[in-house]
Amino acid sequence: MHVKAKTMAFGGLLLALAVVFMALGSVIETSTLFLLAAASFFVGIAVREFGLRVGAAFYIAAVLLGFITAPNKFYVVTFAAMGFYIWGIEAVWRWLEKRSQMQKRNVVFWISKYVIFNIMYIPIVILFRDLLFSRAISDVVMAGVIAGGQIGLFIYDRAYDYVQAHVWGKIRGRFMN
């Protein structure tokens, strides 16, 4: 596979920004989730600009560099989950684009988003309960945490859509000419 120099240079710039945002998430504790979400949005930009394969390579490179450079490795794991979600929904979107005859593609897309998220989120919350919470919590609280995750996903997904449509959509022309 031949990679164009412009693709490589722009991918490197996106990768550097993603790793800087991950590292800043470890330094600026009050904005950790915001910075990790912003770092994961670069995975989506790489996928949309260069395709799923380059996006997957970008994602893997970002996770590996994050483990090397970021002070808090737990945040890199969080970024990895967020980035995988972004890559997954972009893959589903591309799959659905090829099926124009399919009815209710938006419904399938939204269901896919929640399935991808919950395949990662629910096992992590249940299996790493002691790591995530400082004391034992009841099953009712656990159900609330899982429900809160669904609300968090909705907000995260809306932010991603906004960034792709409005922020990246406006500055894309300056970088991709």
Side-chain angles (χ1 to χ4, degrees):
M1 177 174 121
H2 296 351
V3 179
K4 296 178 184 175
K6 188 175 185 178
T7 301
M8 189 83 127
F10 187 69
L13 177 65
L14 289 177
L15 185 60
L17 287 171
V19 171
V20 165
F21 277 47
M22 265 190 276
L24 282 175
S26 296
V27 175
I28 307 171
E29 294 287 332
T30 57
S31 299
T32 298
L33 278 178
F34 170 80
L35 291 166
L36 292 176
S40 69
F41 292 168
F42 291 117
V43 173
I45 292 171
V47 169
R48 288 194 181 187
E49 295 299 328
F50 308 119
L52 286 172
R53 286 186 179 156
V54 174
F58 176 88
Y59 166 73
I60 292 167
V63 170
L64 292 175
L65 280 172
F67 275 118
I68 293 170
T69 59
N72 191 333
K73 307 311 181 207
F74 183 71
Y75 295 159
V76 179
V77 173
T78 305
F79 163 80
M82 292 173 145
F84 181 77
Y85 168 78
I86 295 290
W87 188 88
I89 65 169
E90 290 293 338
V92 168
W93 179 254
R94 287 174 184 252
W95 182 80
L96 287 172
E97 278 182 329
K98 295 176 185 173
R99 281 140 185 87
S100 59
Q101 75 281 3
M102 182 186 283
Q103 294 182 359
K104 298 186 180 185
R105 289 189 299 169
N106 273 349
V107 174
V108 172
F109 187 52
W110 272 97
I111 291 170
S112 299
K113 287 179 178 187
Y114 279 91
V115 167
I116 292 168
F117 173 74
N118 285 308
I119 284 173
M120 293 182 301
Y121 181 69
I122 293 173
I124 288 172
V125 169
I126 292 171
L127 294 174
F128 298 107
R129 185 182 227 170
D130 295 333
L131 180 66
L132 296 172
F133 306 106
S134 60
R135 58 188 169 112
I137 60 171
S138 68
D139 290 338
V140 173
V141 173
M142 183 60 82
V145 168
I146 290 172
Q150 309 312 304
I151 295 167
L153 170 66
F154 181 79
I155 294 168
Y156 173 73
D157 194 69
R158 300 306 300 163
Y160 175 67
D161 289 343
Y162 180 83
V163 165
Q164 284 291 349
H166 298 286
V167 177
W168 178 242
K170 288 182 180 174
I171 64 174
R172 181 181 186 275
R174 296 180 187 160
F175 291 104
M176 300 308 293
N177 285 333

